[in-house]
Amino acid sequence: MAHIVILGAGIGGMPMAFEMRENARAEDRVTVISNTPTFHFVPSNPWVAVNWRTRADIELPIEPILSKKKIDFIPVAAKRVHPAENRIELEDGRSIDYDYLVIATGPKLAFDEIEGLGPNGHTQSVCHVDHAVTSNDNWQAFVKDPGPIVVGAVQGASCYGPAYEFAMIMETDLRRRKLRDKVPITFVTAEPYIGHLGLGGVGDSKGMIESAFRDKHVKWICNAKVTRVEAGKMFVTEVNEDGSEKKQHELPFKYSMMLPAFKGVDAVLGIEGLTNPRGFIVIDPYQRNPTFKNVFSVGVCVAIPPVEATPLPVGVPKTGYMIESMVTATAHNIRSLLDGKEPTEKATWNAVCLADFGDTGIAFVALPQIPPRNVNWFSEGKWVHLAKIAFEKYFLRKIKKGNVGPFYENLTLRALGISKLKE
């Protein structure tokens, strides 16, 4: 019997638990460790932040879902991973031994790297449902006394879609309230151009998003380094292509949401051989750590180098379907090890993304996500908004039922030439 532990119960951890249970042997034990007793659907956080959803709409209790699948659950945060000893030290003093470990923690939100940034400073966040609830409280106060908005992503961020989504969701909500004329919106990003997305662009993402911003009167500053944030004011240095200073901006705001840079969580940060300097898990093509070969990793906590050199640090996003491909490859590779074989499966890292813009949206398919690509498709329209709503309901149902890859989903994606594993 082997004990397989999954650290994290989010977009990567929950599917990992289900697929690992299906691929493990009957006598193997699967355990999930999480710092929270609930799962929430992160892509819906921007809707929570303007009260288009409530917390209850997008949150599920984890324990009953996992217990139905005969998966153990420990709702206690990990204090430290000890990979050389095959154990995890928990915050309550316990130690959990494992034969195989899958790290799916997601990131640590590095608000502290910029003075005044984040929920404990002067800007809002949609990275976690707790933050989104607070953002909504502040949004309801803001619409009673509106003013300028600054929204975007700081240097080192690696998830840009939610920033674009939230900018346009706020814009839509303001139009519905007939307040749009009172609120100038400025989008601030470390990306070298609008629609870069940390991916070097996808299709005509630059032209389409710029057009959407012009249509909705959203101004933007690219190659923007946020130096500090004060109450009601953001200090931004715009840089040239060589990184030299171009212009200083002092941007007033009454409401601001800025995505932070990501780091690895404290439980793994600084472990030699396991992580890179930012604390992300180093993996080989099989999702396995090269130093500790019984440790795998999936999701946002995986180390991926930037797709290209940019004037300011711009990270690579890990999108939902890309993470699902990591999960499937990892589950198959751990089963191979259980059977005394070497891992052979590689994730495709294909990306299928829906971004809601309030009453319309943008969608892209990047096969694979990291260029050069076999497919590089980008589109827009009201259908994306409707598809995002449908996907939210569908994914939450999959989690609730513990069935991450229904046959009809796999059949449809295969017909479109989208697969999780490389042939």
Side-chain angles (χ1 to χ4, degrees), residues 291-309:
T291 302
F292 304 101
K293 294 186 178 294
N294 62 339
V295 177
F296 291 73
S297 187
V298 302
V300 180
C301 57
V302 166
I304 300 178
V307 299
E308 61 186 4

Side-chain angles (χ1 to χ4, degrees), residues 42 127 152-154 156-164 191 197-198 259-262 300 314-319:
V42 174
C127 296
V154 307
S158 57
C159 186
Y160 298 89
Y164 287 104
E191 299 162 274
L197 302 171
L259 299 179
F262 289 171
V300 180
V314 174
V316 178
K318 292 92 171 181
T319 56

Side-chain angles (χ1 to χ4, degrees), residues 385-403:
H385 171 70
L386 300 173
K388 181 70 177 278
I389 294 171
F391 180 71
E392 174 199 53
K393 308 303 181 189
Y394 175 65
F395 194 90
L396 284 168
R397 180 175 173 79
K398 286 202 302 181
I399 294 294
K400 191 179 296 185
K401 297 294 183 181
N403 186 5

Side-chain angles (χ1 to χ4, degrees), residues 79-90 95-96 98 101 267-268 271 274 292 295:
K79 183 176 182 180
R80 194 66 171 168
V81 174
H82 299 276
E85 303 170 22
N86 296 329
R87 70 180 180 93
I88 301 171
E89 179 186 356
L90 302 184
S95 280
I96 306 299
Y98 62 81
L101 172 64
V268 299
I271 298 177
L274 183 66
F292 304 101
V295 177

